[in-house]
Amino acid sequence: MTVPVLRFAPSPNGYLHLGHALSALANFDLARSMGGRLLLRLEDIDVSRCRPEYETAIYEDLAWLGIEWEQPVRRQSEHFDASLDALERLERRGLVFASFESRTEIQRLVEGREIHGAWPRDPDGAPLYPGNGRMLSAEERNRRMDAGDAYALRLMMDVAVAQAGPLDWFEAGEGPRGETGTVQAMPQAWGDVVLARKETPTSYHLAVVIDDALQGVTHVVRGQDLFWSTSVHRLLQRLLGLPAPVYQHHKLILGADGRKLAKSTRATALRELRHAGVTPADIRRGVGLP
Ligand code: GLU
C-alpha cells in the first residue's frame, strides 16, 4: 500500500491567518490519522511579493500550532525548470498562444464587448480573456517578444478541452454548493487561462499540478476558494499525463464582515492572536476542529 502524501502550500507574501490554520491543521490531522506524510511547500512564484520574513513567520506559526512537517521544504521558485518543460510540451501540442494586452487593455476590451451584453466571467469573477492573441502570426509574436513587450502565455482552452475529453475528480470534502463525491470538471469556465508570463515562467495552476505530481501528493486538502480551480488542475494533469490526487476542500473561515480573510487583515493573523494570548487549542476550537 502506498503511504498517503499531503501538503500545506502557503504563499510567503503575508502572515498566515485563521483560514491557513484550518488548512494546515486539517492536512496535519488527516496525515496523522492515515499514517501519511505531511510536506510543506512555499508557493513563491511571484517573487516580487514574497519576503523572507513571511517565510520565517510561516515556520513559527506552524510550529506554534503543533504542526510537524518533513524537510526539505520545497520552494516553487527553485523549480521553474520543471514548469518550463511542461510548458514546452503543451506548446508542442499546439495548445499555447501569447497575448500582449495589458490588464487595462483587457478591461477596455471587455467594456467594449459589454455594450452587446454581459461578457462571461470565470468562477473568481474575472472576465474571460477577450483579446486576439490567437490571431497573431508567429512573426508578429516573435517581433513583439524580441522587442521586450510584456506578454502572457495562455492555454487554448477549447482546443485543450477537446483533446482532453471529459474530466472529473473525487471530492472527499465539499464544494461551495455542497458538491461531493465525483465532480464533473468544467475547465472551460476559466477561458484561456494564463500558464506563464514574461516575468514569471509559470502560473499558480501550472506550478501546483507539476509540484503535486513531482512530490507524489495523493491528497490535496485546501479551502473552497480553490474548488473550481481544480477543474483547470485536472485538465493540466490529463494533458501532461500526471496522476490525479483526491481533493478535499474545506469551508472558508469568514471575517466579521462575512468575507474571505485577507493576508493583510491584522485581526485574524495567527501571530497577532498569539501575541494577544490566544492558545493553539483556542485556534483549533475557533476553526471548528477537535
Ligand atoms: N498557495 C495557495 C494559497 O496560498 C494554495 C494552493 C493549494 O493548496 O493548492 O492559497
Side-chain angles (χ1 to χ4, degrees), residues 7 9-11 43 204 208 222 226 263:
R7 80 328 187 251
S11 295
E43 303 217 318
Y204 159 65
V208 82
R222 60 187 180 191
L226 294 168
K263 282 215 173 89

Side-chain angles (χ1 to χ4, degrees), residues 7-13 20 23 27 41-43 76 204 208 212 220-223 225-226 233 247 260 263:
R7 80 328 187 251
F8 176 56
S11 295
N13 58 9
H20 296 107
S23 273
N27 271 292
R41 183 168 77 222
L42 297 173
E43 303 217 318
Q76 283 187 325
Y204 159 65
V208 82
D212 283 341
V220 170
V221 179
R222 60 187 180 191
D225 52 337
L226 294 168
H233 302 168
Y247 288 90
K260 194 180 129 182
K263 282 215 173 89

Side-chain angles (χ1 to χ4, degrees), residues 8 36 40 57 73 75 87 99 150 199 242 268 270 275-276:
F8 176 56
L40 176 61
V73 169
R75 276 194 200 83
L87 204 52
S99 67
E199 310 295 344
L242 305 175
T268 51
L270 297 181
H275 294 150

Side-chain angles (χ1 to χ4, degrees), residues 101 105-107 109-110 113 119 127-133 154:
E101 296 91 350
E105 279 163 350
I106 287 185
Q107 193 47 44
L109 282 171
V110 169
R113 305 284 181 100
W119 182 251
L128 301 198
Y129 173 68
N132 68 350
R154 293 175 181 271

Side-chain angles (χ1 to χ4, degrees), residues 36-51:
R37 302 164 51 201
L38 177 63
L39 311 178
L40 176 61
R41 183 168 77 222
L42 297 173
E43 303 217 318
D44 61 346
I45 53 176
D46 185 357
V47 282
S48 66
R49 291 177 59 218
C50 293
R51 293 210 229 123

Side-chain angles (χ1 to χ4, degrees), residues 124 204 222-231 233 249 252:
D124 283 348
Y204 159 65
R222 60 187 180 191
Q224 280 177 347
D225 52 337
L226 294 168
F227 182 79
W228 287 114
S229 293
T230 311
S231 288
H233 302 168
H249 293 90
L252 298 178

